[in-house]
Amino acid sequence: MTATPRSAPVHHAAVPHTREAPPQGRPVEDLPPPRHDDDQGPDVGASWSTGQRVRLILVLGVLVALGPLTIDLYLPALPAISEQLLATEAQVQLTLTGLLAGLALGQLVLGPLSDRLGRRPVLITGVAVHGLASVLCALAPTVELLTAARVLQGVAAAASAVVALAVVRDLFSGVAAARTLSRLTLVMGAAPIIAPALGGFLLSHTSWRGVFVTLAGLAVVLVVVAAKLLPETLPVERRRTGGAGEVLRTYRGLLRDRRYVGLVLVAGFAFSILFSYVSGSSFVLQEEFGLSQQQYAFAFGAGAISLIGATQLNPVLVERFHPVRVMQGALVAAVAFTTALLVLVGTGTGGVLGLLVPVWFTLGAVGFILPNGPALALTRHGRSAGTAAALLGCAQFGVGALAAPMVGLVGGGSLGMASVMVGAALVALVILMLVVQPKVLAAPASSARAA
């Protein structure tokens, strides 16, 4: 797929640090200029046709879906894995924690590699290794070996996660990036809806090992898709040429950007809200509330629909309000809904609906955070997009990985799950208000620089 230039719209001016000008009569919603040495000039994707953008989003969505499928496809099988491998609930949940840890740590290495070698080779190699790790998962005789194979699977899946974010930042910035990530979430968001239902279907015809064989086959297909359809978005002249020293200096520069760090942490704790539910929902809904594997799949899918619906409403909101304002409102809502969840499950009110209804609204609130946090963070660091995306992804999946054992540590069950969700929402809101400072970030450029 080759980008064919055409006349750029007026709102994509070809000057450094210029952001999209709003339509006539709209208040200016300015984004602060990128820091350090990261000025890239205009958005490259501004000259792409609608058809080219749609094709890019579809390809990236299919590739990024590998991560959610790897996480969610085996969720209905967790009780069966516990029984067959003679493992405790906490040990089985560590297979999810190991995967998320691999996703987090893998991005720290693969992000800088993609800045140096290009996006395509890192992505294709990662997906291929994911296929091999899936075979190892299918053959694992013990829960310990399964956990180790899941860590490798996570490291490999990190390639698709970090490269997709870097590709979006290669082509877009600011509000345009938030809009593109929202559309990308629509495509990749089908994965968490389909995965538990598909997992339940597979489990009715095969064992949990067959789930991992399916993931291995999917990896083979995605290697072909990436090789044939994904263009290289990082030109040779923009690639990093230094070694480990330059990578460390880049990370040090990123960590000195207070608002970037704050946005990364907000995104991480938003993932914690999500993964607290993901890691605990299978045991809570199937064992505590007695849902079948198929009923669990439908309940899980309903939550995914809420999250995806919010991401698709997000582009409409960011056209009218600054993305950080949308995040602020969503986090306030998340705190309210998770508090309601904690009260309802703590008092036993409403049964399974007392859990699912506040969770449904909570996931909707998270859907407004996930596109905007990364878009605002990456806009600040265009030339280091791969490394910046790696640190962002590491925080998201790293903090998310801590959510799974935390649910068990605070007592497990619906009460433990709800407690971790409330805590993550509160911490994210505090970081947003005290570190990111929405008023400063949403101010016009002159005010932002003065601050």
Side-chain angles (χ1 to χ4, degrees):
M1 179 174 63
T2 304
T4 304
R6 60 172 184 164
S7 297
V10 174
H11 57 273
H12 289 287
V15 290
H17 297 314
T18 300
R19 285 147 304 271
E20 293 180 322
Q24 206 68 18
R26 251 182 63 199
V28 174
E29 296 171 350
D30 207 0
L31 295 173
R35 303 293 178 86
H36 313 298
D37 60 346
D38 290 320
D39 181 22
Q40 274 186 227
D43 292 337
V44 177
S47 61
W48 283 37
S49 69
T50 301
Q52 288 171 324
R53 296 186 197 192
V54 169
R55 285 194 298 272
L56 177 73
I57 289 171
L58 288 173
V59 172
L60 289 180
V62 170
L63 291 166
V64 176
L66 183 63
L69 283 172
T70 304
I71 295 168
D72 298 335
L73 194 63
Y74 90 134
L75 290 180
L78 291 182
I81 294 173
S82 176
E83 180 181 348
Q84 291 181 23
L85 296 184
L86 303 178
T88 66
E89 177 180 329
Q91 285 177 313
V92 174
Q93 284 180 324
L94 279 176
T95 64
L96 177 59
T97 300
L99 173 72
L100 296 176
L103 277 164
L105 297 175
Q107 292 188 60
L108 291 179
V109 176
L110 298 178
L113 270 181
S114 76
D115 281 340
R116 183 172 184 176
L117 304 177
R119 312 306 183 199
R120 278 170 49 87
V122 172
L123 175 64
I124 293 171
T125 303
V127 176
V129 173
H130 179 280
L132 174 62
S134 298
V135 173
L136 295 177
C137 289
L139 299 175
T142 66
V143 70
E144 290 81 10
L145 290 175
L146 176 60
T147 302
R150 289 286 277 174
V151 172
L152 177 60
Q153 201 178 35
V155 171
S160 61
V162 72
V163 168
L165 281 177
V167 166
V168 171
R169 182 56 190 96
D170 287 341
L171 301 173
F172 307 99
S173 66
V175 172
R179 189 186 305 117
T180 303
L181 286 174
S182 294
R183 299 309 184 201
L184 178 59
T185 305
L186 173 63
V187 179
M188 62 176 282
I193 296 177
I194 295 171
L198 179 58
F201 173 79
L202 290 172
L203 287 171
S204 66
H205 292 82
T206 183
S207 69
W208 59 269
R209 298 182 188 276
V211 172
F212 290 107
V213 172
T214 301
L215 284 171
L218 176 63
V220 173
V221 173
L222 293 183
V223 166
V224 176
V225 169
K228 289 186 172 294
L229 299 179
L230 183 69
E232 179 56 68
T233 58
L234 185 65
V236 174
E237 63 271 15
R238 279 184 43 221
R239 296 180 188 178
R240 298 283 182 171
T241 56
E246 184 183 356
V247 171
L248 292 176
R249 285 192 295 274
T250 302
Y251 275 127
R252 186 165 59 246
L254 291 170
L255 292 173
R256 286 175 177 170
D257 183 351
R258 165 183 168 175
R259 290 192 173 83
Y260 168 82
V261 172
L263 289 164
V264 163
L265 291 175
V266 169
F269 281 101
F271 259 65
S272 266
I273 301 171
L274 176 61
F275 282 119
S276 299
Y277 174 65
V278 168
S279 65
S281 61
S282 180
F283 289 101
V284 168
L285 292 175
Q286 292 184 76
E287 296 187 351
E288 187 173 332
F289 289 95
L291 271 61
S292 67
Q293 289 179 344
Q294 288 72 27
Q295 288 172 329
Y296 165 71
F298 285 123
F300 193 88
I305 290 172
S306 175
L307 188 147
I308 294 166
T311 64
Q312 298 318 293
L313 180 58
N314 184 64
V316 178
L317 293 182
V318 297
E319 289 292 340
R320 300 190 59 187
F321 308 100
H322 194 285
V324 77
R325 293 297 192 191
V326 177
M327 288 178 61
Q328 182 180 2
L331 277 172
V332 170
V335 170
F337 293 137
T338 53
T339 301
L341 171 66
L342 182 61
V343 171
L344 289 173
V345 299
T347 58
T349 304
V352 69
L353 288 179
L355 182 144
L356 290 178
V357 171
V359 162
W360 193 87
F361 284 107
T362 298
L363 295 179
V366 171
F368 290 111
I369 304 168
L370 296 185
N372 293 320
L376 289 169
L378 294 179
T379 290
R380 305 174 71 83
H381 297 279
R383 283 193 59 213
S384 307
T387 308
L391 195 56
L392 173 67
C394 178
Q396 287 179 321
F397 289 107
V399 179
L402 295 176
M406 281 298 297
V407 171
L409 287 174
V410 298
S414 58
L415 192 59
M417 183 181 75
S419 299
V420 176
M421 293 174 74
V422 170
L426 281 170
V427 172
L429 181 59
V430 169
I431 292 173
L432 182 72
M433 300 305 296
L434 298 183
V435 179
V436 178
Q437 297 178 313
K439 285 185 179 179
V440 176
L441 195 60
S446 57
S447 301
R449 282 191 289 268

